[in-house]
Amino acid sequence: MARKKVIEIVLDTETTGLDYTRERMVEFAAVRLENGKIKDEFQTLINPEQHIRKSSIAIHGITQEMVEDAPKEDEIMPKILEFIGDYPIVAHNAIFDYSFINEASKRTTGKEISNERIDTQQMFKEIYPELEAHGLNALTEKFKVELKDHHRAMGDTMGLALAYPKLKKLYNQKYDWENKQLDNVEYLFERFLRIQQTVTTLQSEMQDLKSVFKLYFDQGGSPITSQEGDMLIYNSKQTFGYDFNTVKPILEEVGALEKAVKLNTGFIDRLVNGKSLDDEKKELIKNARIELTETRNIQIIKNNK
């Protein structure tokens, strides 16, 4: 019996900025996978007919001069949509690329795209949740794929296209196992709660042990070496609170403000969506967006008896 042909489109875009509602694509690349094998590819620069942000140029290196003679959006979108067809779209942080392509399709055809969206970043997180990073670099390194010309559309597309079949195999095996557990979901929830309680208890136990170790060192104890050679030592570190308005000019002067201050993005999102700011300030904040991500989580609501 002939094997069913599975066609998927792996793609990547480079853009003028991060907000898909106002920014445009400057580069598009895609490869057609048939049963995990690369069969065709398509790439193009795109003249966005608008300014490319310096922050974006710093990432992908595509300047206004490079796209000056490139096809414009209304010229190239029919070819992009033809290549994509109605096949599943595979991308790393897929919501970003999907959103830009969808907006371009609405502008040029009046229609939204309806392709299935496959997010390899989310798949990677589910397979290897313990890893510190889940970007495209981490993915290609994990599956021993060389990532050439990173942050250019075809370079990233090709790296993902080579790693994706390996990731998909593991993900499908995990998905198959999960499906087989659905009839047991009530039991598994009880089991999850037991494990959660065990983890909480173990964390408390570890904290108790650390308290004993701290007391040991406070009373003049020497470093302890385990049979395997691991060493237990004790050190103390003093930290200070600072008046932000006083140190801000100094941090700005030495170029260290960005490292010293971490934005509360959740609070900023609430500001943009709330009513306390006027439209002009909201627009300024929206223009400062540098990343778009999507997270999906389960939540346990405790029964507070």
Side-chain angles (χ1 to χ4, degrees):
M1 184 176 179
R3 183 183 178 186
K4 181 182 178 181
K5 184 185 292 186
V6 177
I7 298 176
E8 297 162 307
I9 306 297
V10 182
L11 58 79
D12 183 59
T13 61
E14 303 300 337
T15 63
T16 60
L18 274 291
D19 188 343
Y20 67 88
T21 64
R22 68 192 67 219
E23 306 293 347
R24 303 288 181 92
M25 292 184 289
V26 294
E27 189 175 36
F28 172 90
V31 299
R32 175 188 172 108
L33 289 185
E34 293 185 9
N35 296 332
K37 304 294 183 182
I38 297 174
K39 295 297 183 180
D40 197 6
E41 62 184 67
F42 176 84
Q43 63 176 320
T44 181
L45 287 170
I46 304 170
N47 184 343
E49 299 183 273
Q50 69 181 54
H51 176 69
I52 304 175
R53 297 183 184 277
K54 290 183 179 179
S55 57
S56 296
I57 295 175
I59 295 173
H60 53 56
I62 300 173
T63 63
Q64 302 284 164
E65 293 74 21
M66 292 171 63
V67 298
E68 186 175 348
D69 297 323
K72 298 174 183 177
E73 185 178 80
D74 58 352
E75 300 174 57
I76 200 62
M77 277 306 295
K79 295 180 181 178
I80 290 176
L81 295 174
E82 180 183 5
F83 190 86
I84 293 174
D86 58 358
Y87 301 115
I89 287 175
V90 180
H92 211 64
N93 188 25
I95 189 174
F96 179 84
D97 305 283
Y98 192 96
S99 297
F100 272 91
I101 296 167
N102 189 49
E103 286 297 308
S105 179
K106 289 194 293 183
R107 282 192 296 267
T108 56
T109 70
K111 299 178 181 178
E112 295 187 354
I113 59 175
S114 57
N115 305 61
E116 178 188 353
R117 189 174 73 220
I118 299 174
D119 188 347
T120 53
Q121 187 174 59
Q122 187 62 39
M123 293 169 66
F124 191 36
K125 287 179 180 179
E126 290 194 29
I127 297 299
Y128 295 105
E130 75 282 2
L131 295 182
E132 292 183 3
H134 293 92
L136 185 57
N137 261 323
L139 173 65
T140 52
E141 286 178 6
K142 185 66 178 179
F143 290 104
K144 296 179 173 55
V145 170
E146 185 178 2
L147 183 59
K148 298 179 180 178
D149 208 9
H150 189 28
H151 291 308
R152 287 299 299 269
M154 183 50 79
D156 286 354
T157 295
M158 197 59 70
L160 182 57
L162 294 173
Y164 171 63
K166 302 174 183 179
L167 174 66
K168 181 181 178 181
K169 180 179 179 180
L170 289 178
Y171 185 82
N172 284 344
Q173 290 173 345
K174 178 178 183 290
Y175 185 72
D176 180 61
W177 175 82
E178 289 173 343
N179 267 309
K180 292 176 180 177
Q181 308 307 313
L182 291 180
D183 288 340
N184 308 319
V185 70
E186 288 85 0
Y187 162 71
L188 292 177
F189 181 47
E190 297 296 333
R191 184 174 173 182
F192 175 88
L193 292 174
R194 291 202 304 273
I195 294 173
Q196 186 181 61
Q197 182 58 50
T198 300
V199 170
T200 301
T201 301
L202 288 175
Q203 288 174 335
S204 298
E205 290 293 315
M206 290 179 68
Q207 190 58 51
D208 282 349
L209 292 174
K210 287 181 179 180
S211 295
V212 174
F213 298 149
K214 179 178 179 298
L215 183 61
Y216 166 80
F217 285 116
D218 283 343
Q219 295 182 0
S222 302
I224 303 172
T225 302
S226 73
Q227 296 298 317
E228 299 296 325
D230 297 329
M231 184 174 287
L232 180 68
I233 63 172
Y234 181 52
N235 55 52
S236 63
K237 180 181 178 181
Q238 294 181 336
T239 58
F240 298 91
Y242 295 92
D243 181 78
F244 180 69
N245 291 326
T246 301
V247 302
K248 181 182 176 183
I250 301 171
L251 294 173
E252 288 179 327
E253 182 180 340
V254 300
L257 182 63
E258 187 175 336
K259 283 188 176 181
V261 179
K262 183 177 181 181
L263 288 177
N264 184 334
T265 55
F267 174 74
I268 294 175
D269 283 340
R270 290 193 294 273
L271 273 180
V272 172
N273 296 323
K275 298 179 179 180
S276 61
L277 294 181
D278 58 43
D279 290 341
E280 182 179 356
K281 289 185 176 63
K282 287 182 179 181
E283 288 300 308
L284 288 172
I285 292 178
K286 288 180 180 179
N287 288 335
R289 288 169 171 168
I290 59 172
E291 186 178 18
L292 172 67
T293 58
E294 181 181 45
T295 56
R296 303 174 185 177
N297 295 303
I298 62 167
Q299 180 182 6
I300 295 175
I301 300 175
K302 299 296 291 183
N303 180 18
N304 296 319
K305 296 180 179 179

